[in-house]
Amino acid sequence: MIDISARALDKLRTILAQENDSTLCFRISVSGGGCSGFEYGFSLDQRQDDDFVLEHGISILVDSMSMQYLQGAQIDYQESLMGSHFTVKNPNATATCGCGSSFAA
């Protein structure tokens, strides 16, 4: 399905612990927009009926529409002098923008 790196999982555990709300999960989504056609979204959210739930010691949510674009993707977390952010390596992307936050499928 979707591969989540240990580094990304560690960061997600930290974020969720700071929220101190056991009903929140981490959501990965795809929506129309961005310079390449689709863009990735990362948020804290509550589970919806049509969500896929990936269990990694924490619950990661992906809605059914987004899952079709994220099959086989790898999620990582990068820290550098330029900032920190989640990254997506997506085998379904036919093109990506320079910043890596949007893609075409």
Side-chain angles (χ1 to χ4, degrees), residues 2-3 16 27-28 32-33 35 41 43 46 49 51 53 60 63-64 68 71 85 87 101 103:
I2 298 173
D3 181 47
L16 288 167
R27 179 175 297 282
I28 304 168
C35 52
S43 62
Q46 295 182 354
D49 291 337
D51 284 335
V53 180
I60 299 172
D63 65 87
S64 56
Q68 65 184 332
Q71 286 288 343
H85 59 280
T87 62
S101 66
F103 69 101

Side-chain angles (χ1 to χ4, degrees), residues 17-38:
Q18 290 172 343
E19 290 298 316
N20 198 28
D21 182 346
S22 63
T23 66
L24 291 178
C25 302
F26 183 71
R27 179 175 297 282
I28 304 168
S29 61
V30 171
S31 60
C35 52
S36 292
F38 294 102

Side-chain angles (χ1 to χ4, degrees), residues 30-94:
V30 171
S31 60
C35 52
S36 292
F38 294 102
E39 61 186 345
Y40 300 110
F42 302 100
S43 62
L44 299 180
D45 198 2
Q46 295 182 354
R47 184 177 179 181
Q48 303 298 314
D49 291 337
D50 71 334
D51 284 335
F52 288 88
V53 180
L54 312 174
E55 292 294 342
H56 291 277
I58 58 169
S59 295
I60 299 172
L61 309 174
V62 182
D63 65 87
S64 56
M65 190 282 300
S66 297
M67 184 59 85
Q68 65 184 332
Y69 295 106
L70 293 170
Q71 286 288 343
Q74 298 174 323
I75 311 297
D76 196 10
Y77 183 75
Q78 302 289 320
E79 291 182 343
S80 70
L81 292 174
M82 299 298 289
S84 58
H85 59 280
F86 289 97
T87 62
V88 180
K89 289 183 184 173
N90 189 341
N92 303 302
T94 58

